[in-house]
Amino acid sequence: MQKKYIIALDQGTTSSRAIMFDRDQNIIAAAQTEFTQFYPKPGWVEHDPMEIWATQSAVLNDVVARSGVAIEEIDSIGITNQRETTVVWDKKTGRPVYHAIVWQCRRTSGMASKLVADGHKEFIRHKTGLEVDAYFSGTKIQWILDNVPGSRERAQRGELLFGTVDSWLVYNLSNKQVHITDMTNASRTMLYDIHNLRWDPELCALMNVPMNMLPEVRGSSEIYAYANIQGHEIPISGIAGDQQAALFGQTAFYEGEAKNTYGTGCFLLMNTGEKPVTSNNGLLTTIAIGINDHVQYALEGSIFVGGAVIQWLRDELGLIRTSGESEVCAKKVEDNNGVYLVPAFTGLGAPHWDMYARGSISGLTRGSNRNHIIRAALESIAYQSYDVIKAMEKDSGVKIQTLQVDGGASSNDFLMQFQSDILGVDVRRPTVSETTALGAAYLAGLATGFFKDQETIRKMHKYSQTWQSNLDEDRRLRYLKGWHKAVSRAVDWEEHE
């Protein structure tokens, strides 16, 4: 029977999802289940790996049932996942020795600080492209081995395995036969040399991680294993961490192409081609994708408060009833009337990197009204994105020509037009909003021949809307000057500890 469909497994921080696509990128069926978040101490975040597997397995079977598609018609499975989240399990039984430590968890901040204090920051950054931080997997593995009785000895005897969530899923889908990861996920562990493309013995020694625990690192598009679904063997043939999958799903295949995911925060990734670019502006250097021994790199910048500022207007200030109302209010006024909102509720990320900054509203006059504040909140998302993109351009020497957008807040037409205006480049929103899952599907289909090549995918990729800048240069520079002046009032606000 002809293969007509691909299933993408999108294992996220709060839910497990499965989406079935046809050859023309239409969504045939989708299923989603939330799972438990554990907060055992302030700043600690955990998941139950068995619940992750149970929910992901359930939605996989659910999406097959919902679709009404014959199993024989399914070509392959692609996986995209929450990155950095760390699972350690018993090699024989497949049982986790501890809960998964989630990327958000801050329990290993002291361990990361010690690595910096001991002078290892630049060494780690040079090899991995990452800042030394509790965010990444290395110190999480170390914590589990140091705190779960007997686990370090078991690991040294070769009895335990480590994996990010993609590894955990492939291990279980393959009936505990295959222990692998892909380059994008490996590059987020703080143990992987992104230049020589291998687990690094010195980094593992620094974090006291036995190398026999680590999965084999493979490309992002190849057949890794087979999943038995209703008696049929279906290849698992694509893997990428969620942000890299979204970049690939946006068909940002060439140097200088970038995407911005407008979620609670914003994740900006820019393809920098075949050479890793070291950032001087607090961005991360990471692997964008690895296909057929051909590796591309990316610069990544994170904005702490993106769409969350709209939730704040709704839930804390009561200025709007729904997120969608923000667009209506913003369009009621001609401009921001000199009002700027800097949403530094938890400090400022790249390129400012000020943990002591706090939120502020500047430029208020007697003529300022509710709509100006709402508009200023929306504009703040575009201004922060502008600052990160300019940092990327400085680091890479490449000017972004077009910004591909996805995520919840990308549905706000006012924000997308203002983003185009302030950047002075086209902003494009795809027809299929599920770009992360679509990226996983593309990678899976490329490995099996379901999709001929990347150029074929690029031609298929459709956009629902493109915004072009129609703001004159004088006004654009005036707006930016006001924004940076407002940021200067918000930085260094809290007393240093």
Side-chain angles (χ1 to χ4, degrees), residues 230-482:
Q230 298 175 18
H232 288 268
E233 299 285 311
I234 298 177
I236 305 162
S237 51
I239 298 175
D242 53 9
Q243 299 308 322
Q244 287 98 329
L247 186 71
F248 200 81
Q250 288 277 21
T251 68
F253 299 154
Y254 298 105
E255 184 179 354
E257 295 184 329
K259 71 90 187 173
N260 192 5
T261 298
Y262 296 80
T264 303
C266 293
F267 278 96
L268 281 126
L269 267 77
M270 175 187 183
N271 186 326
T272 61
E274 295 180 14
K275 291 185 179 176
V277 174
T278 301
S279 175
N280 297 312
N281 294 282
L283 305 177
L284 302 178
T285 306
T286 199
I287 291 178
I289 215 74
I291 300 177
N292 300 329
D293 298 322
H294 177 70
V295 178
Q296 289 186 316
Y297 294 87
L299 283 169
E300 179 175 324
S302 301
I303 292 162
F304 298 156
V305 178
V309 73
I310 308 305
Q311 295 169 332
W312 178 74
L313 292 178
R314 182 192 67 198
D315 300 340
E316 313 309 327
L317 297 193
L319 293 182
I320 52 175
R321 288 185 299 277
T322 65
S323 298
E325 195 181 336
S326 63
E327 182 174 351
V328 176
C329 294
K331 287 178 174 176
K332 284 182 180 176
V333 287
E334 265 187 47
D335 57 23
N336 62 14
N337 197 33
V339 177
Y340 291 87
L341 191 158
V342 180
F345 304 142
T346 55
L348 285 169
H352 309 286
W353 291 111
D354 184 352
M355 68 179 86
Y356 301 104
R358 287 296 176 267
S360 69
I361 302 175
S362 307
L364 292 171
T365 63
R366 185 63 183 83
S368 305
N369 63 37
R370 163 178 171 258
N371 295 329
H372 292 125
I373 293 170
I374 293 166
R375 182 174 177 131
L378 282 173
E379 289 182 354
S380 76
I381 302 171
Y383 286 130
Q384 290 179 98
S385 300
Y386 170 93
D387 286 345
V388 172
I389 286 166
K390 289 302 155 185
M392 287 179 169
E393 290 180 342
K394 275 184 200 168
D395 283 333
S396 67
V398 177
K399 182 162 173 55
I400 289 171
Q401 303 300 319
T402 304
L403 182 66
Q404 327 271 23
V405 300
D406 53 63
S410 71
S411 63
N412 188 302
D413 291 351
F414 168 82
L415 172 58
M416 294 301 99
Q417 181 60 59
F418 190 75
Q419 186 71 82
S420 176
D421 287 342
I422 215 67
L423 275 173
V425 303
D426 289 357
V427 166
R428 296 199 297 184
R429 184 172 65 201
T431 305
V432 180
S433 61
E434 299 285 357
T435 53
T436 306
L438 190 58
Y442 284 159
L443 290 165
L446 282 169
T448 61
F450 186 83
F451 298 120
K452 182 184 173 187
D453 53 31
Q454 286 176 237
E455 279 310 308
T456 303
I457 288 172
R458 201 170 164 96
K459 286 172 186 167
M460 289 164 48
H461 196 62
K462 302 178 185 73
Y463 295 92
S464 62
Q465 196 159 350
T466 299
W467 290 268
Q468 295 179 317
S469 176
N470 56 21
L471 190 67
D472 67 73
E473 188 66 4
D474 285 347
R475 284 179 75 195
R476 192 172 77 89
L477 292 174
R478 191 166 74 249
Y479 284 164
L480 287 166
K481 183 180 178 183

